[in-house]
Amino acid sequence: MNAFTSWLQRRGPQLSAEQRARLARLPAAAPLSEGPLAGERLVVLDLETSGLDPRRDQLLAIGAVVIRDGAIDLAQQFECTLRSERLSPGASTLIHGLAPSAIAAGAEPTEALLGFLEFLGDSPLLAFHAGFDRGVLSRALRQQLGYRLQHPCLDVAELAPLLCPQAHLREAGLDDWIGHFGLRVEQRHHASADALATAEIALILFSHARRQGLDSLAALARRLQRWRQRQLAPSL
């Protein structure tokens, strides 16, 4: 037993031996690749939460789909509602449609999060408003598993105006980009459905990226960093 495992058992979440073994088997997060976008495995994530404060509100549901070899792999999807017996109904419940009874009957959070990490593997993450989703997920993983999320996460809400400036949709929501690209989405404000819509937008954006000479996740991240710096620079 190494020093970290010993400390985790003393101070961290109380995990069973099997859960600790599953946690230990998880692969390390891979850095953003310089390889072509068409060869990547990406996990597109969407969360449902009890509110809009990533430092306080609760993770209620995880939805994820996989982009692999330039297409959405419908055989690889993850969907899970996390059990909570302490959640009181609020305005967010009316939006995401998760009834208190469904949340009370959800999966045990530790098992749900372990299952998601096994599904994620070493793949990078994509999300719409990724900072929020990554913050909520990171806090839940730390509290439930003592796990530090280190997977790179690209924000589709930033990639879209970067790659499609002609759309003039600077601070647009997911619905705005769905409309702009003429996508047909049967359901919204549901984690799995929103993850699928985000994945469809991401594939369109990757096509735009390749036409602009950006054919790797690493290249996209570098361009995105420069774009952010320009947005923050004062106008002259």
Side-chain angles (χ1 to χ4, degrees):
M1 180 185 300
N2 61 36
F4 173 75
T5 303
S6 177
W7 176 88
L8 188 61
Q9 288 182 345
R10 293 196 308 270
R11 298 290 302 276
Q14 296 302 304
L15 304 178
S16 69
E18 179 191 0
Q19 289 169 336
R20 290 195 300 271
R22 290 168 64 190
L23 202 57
R25 286 195 297 269
L26 294 172
L32 293 178
S33 169
E34 299 284 358
L37 292 170
E40 297 289 346
R41 181 187 189 267
L42 300 159
V43 173
V44 186
L45 172 72
D46 190 83
L47 305 180
E48 300 295 351
T49 64
S50 62
L52 299 177
D53 186 345
R55 298 165 299 179
R56 183 188 64 194
D57 287 313
Q58 216 172 324
L59 173 59
L60 303 181
I62 303 171
V65 298
V66 167
I67 292 176
R68 187 164 195 163
D69 298 330
I72 298 171
D73 185 350
L74 295 177
Q76 295 191 65
Q77 299 188 58
F78 184 91
E79 182 174 8
C80 190
T81 299
L82 281 67
R83 184 171 70 233
S84 174
E85 298 171 354
R86 302 185 308 274
L87 188 70
S88 59
S92 65
T93 306
L94 299 176
I95 295 173
H96 53 57
L98 288 171
S101 58
I103 295 170
E108 196 276 320
T110 298
E111 284 295 313
L113 290 165
L114 268 172
F116 175 71
L117 287 175
E118 290 166 339
F119 175 84
L120 174 61
D122 65 352
S123 299
L125 287 159
L126 282 176
F128 199 94
H129 294 147
F132 176 83
D133 281 0
R134 197 179 195 283
V136 172
L137 180 61
S138 294
R139 182 165 61 89
L141 290 170
R142 187 172 62 251
Q143 291 175 345
Q144 296 290 335
L145 300 175
Y147 180 89
R148 183 183 176 193
L149 184 67
Q150 295 183 304
H151 295 65
C153 188
L154 292 177
D155 191 349
V156 175
E158 291 184 313
L159 289 174
L162 164 69
L163 297 169
C164 301
Q166 71 282 0
H168 302 293
L169 294 172
R170 275 288 306 277
E171 296 183 5
L174 184 58
D175 284 323
D176 297 307
W177 288 105
I178 288 171
H180 174 73
F181 290 124
L183 299 177
R184 185 173 179 180
V185 177
E186 300 295 336
Q187 188 177 17
R188 279 280 285 111
H189 304 299
H190 181 278
S192 292
D194 286 357
L196 182 59
T198 301
E200 291 177 355
I201 291 171
L203 288 177
I204 295 171
L205 295 175
F206 289 167
S207 178
H208 283 267
R210 282 187 287 269
R211 290 199 292 270
Q212 296 174 39
L214 300 167
D215 193 22
S216 74
L217 294 174
L220 274 175
R222 289 191 292 268
R223 179 69 64 84
L224 190 57
Q225 181 61 30
R226 294 196 294 271
W227 181 82
R228 288 189 190 118
Q229 291 169 350
R230 288 198 302 271
Q231 306 313 304
L232 294 174
S235 300
L236 298 178

